[in-house]
Amino acid sequence: EIQLVESGGGLVKPGGSLRLSCAVSGITLRTYDMHWVRQAPGKGLEWVSSISTGSSYIYYADSVKGRFTISRDNARNSLYLQMNSLRAEDTAVYYCARGVGVEAAIYLNWFDPWGQGTLVTVSS
Amino acid sequence: QSVLTQPPSASGTPGQRVTIFCSGSSSNVGTNTVNWYQQLPGSAPKLLIYNNNQRPSGVPDRFSGSKSGTSASLAISGLQSEDEADYYCAAWDDNLSGWVFGGGSKLTVL
C-alpha cells in the first residue's frame, strides 16, 4: 500500500520559517515526480510546488516563489518543503501528492495518492 | 479568483445524473489534460478522473469525464448520498508553468 505522511506543520509567527516533510512508503520515490498542494481553511485547493524525479525541474506558484523551496531525498524516500518569510495567507493544510503520468512530462501528471495533510498556521 | 471556473455548488436527488463543468482557456484546459479530484468532508482529496476521461481502478463507472475545447465536465449518474463531496478540476497551465485548480463544486444530494 502506498502511503504519504506529512509532518512538520504547526503554529508560527509571521516572518517565521517551517520545514514540512513527506515520508513516502510503498513505492520507490525516485521514479515519481512529487507535488505540494495546500488548502486554506474553508477554501479550495491551491497548487504550491512540484519537483521532477531527479530534481531537474522545479516549479512554484507565484504566491510562494522566492519564499518556499521544494526538495527531495530519494534515498530517504522523502519530500520536503522549506517555507520562509511566512505570511498569514500561507495558513493552510499542506498536502503532498505523488505525480503519475508520462515519464519526463511532469505537466501531464495527475496527483495520486495524496497524504492526509499537515496544518500550518501563521499567526502572531 | 481561480483560473479554472467551476460552479460553487451542484445538487441532485438520489438516482439522478449531475454534471459539473470546468471552464478554462487555451493555455490550460484547451491544451493540456484535465484531472478531477473528489474531497469527501474532512478527508484529503482523491483522484477521480485523469487524462480527461480515464477512471482509476476502484472508481465506479457512474463517474465519467469529458473535454471539449477549453471546457471539461464531470458527470455523475445514479447519484448516491455518499457522492456528497467537493469536486475540483485541475490542469497544467502553459503560461503560468504550474497547475491550476478550479474553485471547487460542492455537491449536495437532496
Side-chain angles (χ1 to χ4, degrees):
Chain A
E1 182 193 4
I2 303 169
Q3 277 200 317
L4 284 70
V5 180
E6 301 92 338
S7 61
L11 175 63
V12 61
K13 289 182 168 52
S17 299
L18 273 181
R19 188 194 195 208
L20 304 185
S21 299
C22 172
V24 180
S25 60
I27 57 170
T28 302
L29 183 67
R30 61 179 169 82
T31 59
Y32 294 98
D33 302 321
M34 293 296 293
H35 312 274
W36 288 99
V37 178
R38 68 184 181 184
Q39 186 170 35
K43 302 296 184 183
L45 301 174
E46 179 190 15
W47 169 75
V48 173
S49 183
S50 300
I51 186 168
S52 62
T53 54
S55 305
S56 299
Y57 298 95
I58 289 176
Y59 304 92
Y60 297 100
D62 287 344
S63 57
V64 306
K65 203 171 291 183
R67 300 186 299 123
F68 289 12
T69 302
I70 191 172
S71 63
R72 62 193 294 160
D73 186 338
N74 290 334
R76 295 179 182 271
N77 251 30
S78 292
L79 173 73
Y80 305 101
L81 186 68
Q82 177 66 44
M83 305 186 296
N84 299 332
S85 303
L86 283 162
R87 307 166 179 165
E89 53 265 35
D90 295 318
T91 294
V93 173
Y94 285 73
Y95 297 100
C96 63
R98 180 185 67 162
V100 186
V102 178
E103 186 177 349
I106 194 170
Y107 61 95
L108 293 178
N109 273 192
W110 52 92
F111 303 165
D112 181 49
W114 299 54
Q116 86 291 345
T118 187
L119 176 62
V120 172
T121 303
V122 184
S123 174
S124 54
Chain B
Q1 193 80 356
S2 302
V3 174
L4 304 184
T5 301
Q6 296 180 236
S9 63
S11 63
T13 56
Q16 270 192 331
R17 177 185 171 93
V18 168
T19 302
I20 297 171
F21 290 91
C22 171
S23 177
S25 67
S26 57
S27 64
N28 42 65
V29 175
T31 304
N32 299 304
T33 55
V34 176
N35 306 312
W36 290 88
Y37 301 92
Q38 178 193 58
Q39 187 174 32
L40 295 170
S43 297
K46 170 193 151 186
L47 178 69
L48 194 64
I49 297 287
Y50 66 96
N51 279 356
N52 304 325
N53 55 20
Q54 302 299 301
R55 270 188 319 276
S57 59
V59 173
D61 59 7
R62 302 186 295 104
F63 295 89
S64 61
S66 66
K67 190 183 91 167
S68 178
T70 59
S71 290
S73 63
L74 171 71
I76 309 170
S77 60
L79 206 57
Q80 299 180 6
S81 58
E82 56 260 40
D83 298 333
E84 277 207 344
D86 293 322
Y87 293 86
Y88 296 90
C89 59
W92 176 266
D93 190 290
D94 290 342
N95 289 345
L96 298 174
S97 291
W99 271 272
V100 290
F101 282 88
S105 298
K106 184 177 184 63
L107 175 64
T108 301
V109 181
L110 302 169

